[in-house]
């Protein structure tokens, strides 16, 4: 059985988010607000088709993609840039490359026990988040 990311996930830890936001060029005031947020991810997986929604009390973000198909992503409400984005499987890991103005940008998701892990990378900064399923 392949891994199924579907579900509702609540953040339980968030390491180096501030430096990741600085790397993305997010202004001070927005960073102060964003650093207080407790994002919830709602993931819908149907084979290789994904919808990942990130909800907070401040802003929401959604991305929809199919594994292996490059698309134009506009990071609306985040750093508002345009990327050529592709997500691939690396074994059971979801590996996203966001090609654009920022070097070495992307993210990886994997599941470890009952936890959803997320590594967000921009330039030389890596933010590590862990989520648990909503009870
Ligand atoms: C999305 C936030 C900081 C701007 C607002 C904070 C709003 C949440 O792309 C992401 O997730 C992937 C993998 O799950 C799927 O789209 C991460 C959050 C990154 C970067 C930028 C601060 C302003 C936070 C909506």
């Amino acid at each position: 059985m392949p891994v199924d990311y579907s579900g509702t996930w609540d953040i339980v830890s968030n390491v180096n988010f501030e430096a990741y936001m600085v790397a993305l060029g997010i202004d001070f005031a927005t960073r102060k607000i964003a650093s207080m947020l407790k994002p919830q991810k709602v993931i819908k997986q149907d084979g290789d088709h994904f919808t990942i929604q990130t909800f907070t009390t401040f802003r929401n973000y959604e991305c929809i993609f199919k594994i292996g198909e490059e698309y134009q992503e506009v990071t609306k409400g985040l750093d508002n840039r345009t990327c050529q984005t592709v997500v691939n499987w690396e074994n059971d890991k979801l590996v996203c490359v966001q090609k654009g103005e920022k070097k070495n940008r992307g993210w990886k998701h994997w599941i470890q026990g009952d936890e959803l892990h997320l590594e967000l990378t921009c330039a030389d900064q890596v933010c590590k988040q862990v989520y648990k399923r909503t009870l």
Side-chain angles (χ1 to χ4, degrees), residues 35-96:
S35 69
M36 302 294 289
L37 302 172
K38 297 291 176 206
Q40 181 180 68
K41 299 259 182 203
V42 176
I43 302 180
K44 294 184 172 78
Q45 177 180 354
D46 177 11
D48 278 353
H49 289 88
F50 284 82
T51 301
I52 302 181
Q53 293 167 304
T54 307
F55 295 106
T56 75
T57 53
F58 177 52
R59 285 177 196 162
N60 303 321
Y61 188 68
E62 177 179 83
C63 71
I64 302 176
F65 58 88
K66 181 170 183 245
I67 296 295
E69 288 194 358
E70 190 169 79
Y71 69 102
Q72 181 174 292
E73 177 179 20
V74 180
T75 58
K76 193 172 150 50
L78 305 178
D79 59 318
N80 298 302
R81 285 190 176 87
T82 300
C83 302
Q84 282 304 122
T85 298
V86 65
V87 184
N88 281 293
W89 290 114
E90 278 183 19
N91 298 307
D92 286 345
K93 259 190 202 195
L94 282 178
V95 178
C96 173

Side-chain angles (χ1 to χ4, degrees), residues 16-28 31 75 78-81 98 100-106 120-127:
N16 209 41
F17 187 50
E18 167 69 11
Y20 171 74
M21 288 193 287
V22 170
L24 280 177
I26 306 301
D27 68 83
F28 179 86
R31 293 203 310 273
T75 58
L78 305 178
D79 59 318
N80 298 302
R81 285 190 176 87
Q98 294 167 308
E101 182 185 339
K102 289 292 173 181
K103 297 300 166 204
N104 192 37
R105 180 172 186 174
L120 294 156
T121 300
C122 180
D124 59 348
Q125 295 301 325
V126 181
C127 168

